[in-house]
Amino acid sequence: DAKTTQPNSMESNEEEPVHLPCNHSTISGTDYIHWYRQLPSQGPEYVIHGLTSNVNNRMASLAIAEDRKSSTLILHRATLRDAAVYYCIPIQGGSEKLVFGKGTKLTVNP
Amino acid sequence: GAVVSQHPSWVICKSGTSVKIECRSLDFQATTMFWYRQFPKQSLMLMATSNEGSKATYEQGVEKDKFLINHASLTLSTLTVTSAHPEDSSFYICSARDMRGAGGANYEQYFGPGTRLTVT
């Protein structure tokens, strides 16, 4: 499994954009990059995933570096409900297992 | 979106007893479900992969005789913690993927709300 490095914590203000970085320099060519988040006392929630191209959905955008050694999850306008631990998880193409690291705890200030 | 439920949401049991936790996919079918454990202020740890109609695959260090997994149908997997002890107290979470989706890593997983187990 590719190793990931994420900041332990980040802070943002409500209604401002948030850029959550993830370094995955050991990623292989067939690894998908997944992002999940976990609100307190809840199960994780899928956010977004991609392989090479940048991806957008209703929750967030995923910007993947050209060399794929890093990616950035972008929340365009943070809300208080976005306060959670965000996990960046590379998954091998043929695998189905999610291996969670420590993630980034995002605090959103009103 | 797809929904995964867990029952019970919390349970307290006495040391030495067994506890069963159910994980259901409510609006999709899942050939594969996953079980995780999470201790306070720690990340999720994958315990096992539950396969419908076959034996579960356990991660290294997880006792298969202590954590019994049964995946009897395409919508239900159960985790039984046998002879529970206080150190088994944890937050247990399951996840599943829709079997209609693309295989491998190009899919999203849906997580249950978790079951908090306290062993006294």
Side-chain angles (χ1 to χ4, degrees):
Chain A
D1 298 324
K3 293 189 176 181
T4 60
T5 303
Q6 296 181 255
N8 289 332
S9 63
M10 291 185 65
E11 275 195 48
S12 173
N13 295 320
E14 204 174 3
E15 298 193 3
E16 289 186 356
V18 181
H19 291 232
L20 297 162
C22 180
N23 182 291
H24 32 75
S25 58
T26 60
I27 197 170
S28 74
T30 57
D31 289 4
Y32 283 80
I33 300 158
H34 284 242
W35 284 79
Y36 286 79
R37 70 181 185 181
Q38 185 178 25
L39 278 67
S41 299
Q42 296 186 28
E45 174 186 30
Y46 167 81
V47 179
I48 201 167
H49 79 278
L51 183 61
T52 56
S53 304
N54 294 342
V55 185
N56 300 295
N57 65 20
R58 63 177 179 80
M59 287 183 68
S61 295
L62 176 60
I64 302 172
E66 196 170 330
D67 63 5
R68 296 195 353 109
K69 293 182 183 298
S70 66
S71 62
T72 301
L73 179 69
I74 303 166
L75 306 179
H76 296 285
R77 289 183 63 200
T79 69
L80 297 178
R81 292 178 54 199
D82 292 322
V85 179
Y86 286 78
Y87 298 97
C88 161
I89 307 174
I91 308 176
Q92 291 182 353
S95 175
E96 297 186 336
K97 294 198 296 187
L98 293 173
V99 179
F100 286 78
K102 296 182 178 180
T104 296
K105 182 176 182 179
L106 175 65
T107 300
V108 180
N109 300 313
Chain B
V3 178
V4 174
S5 70
Q6 284 185 237
H7 178 80
S9 55
W10 60 270
V11 58
I12 302 172
C13 71
K14 292 189 175 181
S15 186
T17 62
S18 295
V19 174
K20 180 185 286 187
I21 301 170
E22 293 185 350
C23 175
R24 293 182 185 273
S25 55
L26 297 186
D27 48 3
F28 66 98
Q29 293 182 322
T31 53
T32 304
M33 293 184 175
F34 301 89
W35 287 96
Y36 298 82
R37 181 168 55 179
Q38 186 175 33
F39 293 109
K41 298 191 184 299
Q42 293 187 23
S43 188
L44 283 79
M45 185 194 79
L46 179 64
M47 298 176 66
T49 303
S50 172
N51 303 298
E52 188 268 337
S54 65
K55 291 184 178 180
T57 304
Y58 291 82
E59 295 298 304
Q60 192 172 10
V62 177
E63 300 174 59
K64 58 181 66 176
D65 294 331
K66 180 169 185 63
F67 299 99
L68 302 179
I69 292 173
N70 184 281
H71 193 153
S73 78
L74 290 173
T75 59
L76 174 64
S77 175
T78 61
L79 169 69
T80 301
V81 183
T82 63
S83 187
H85 292 286
E87 57 264 31
D88 298 322
S89 298
S90 188
F91 192 46
Y92 291 87
I93 306 167
C94 70
S95 71
R97 75 167 185 89
D98 191 332
M99 63 183 287
R100 295 170 300 175
N106 188 20
Y107 70 94
E108 60 194 83
Q109 280 194 30
Y110 306 103
F111 284 81
T115 296
R116 190 161 302 282
L117 169 64
T118 302
V119 184
T120 61

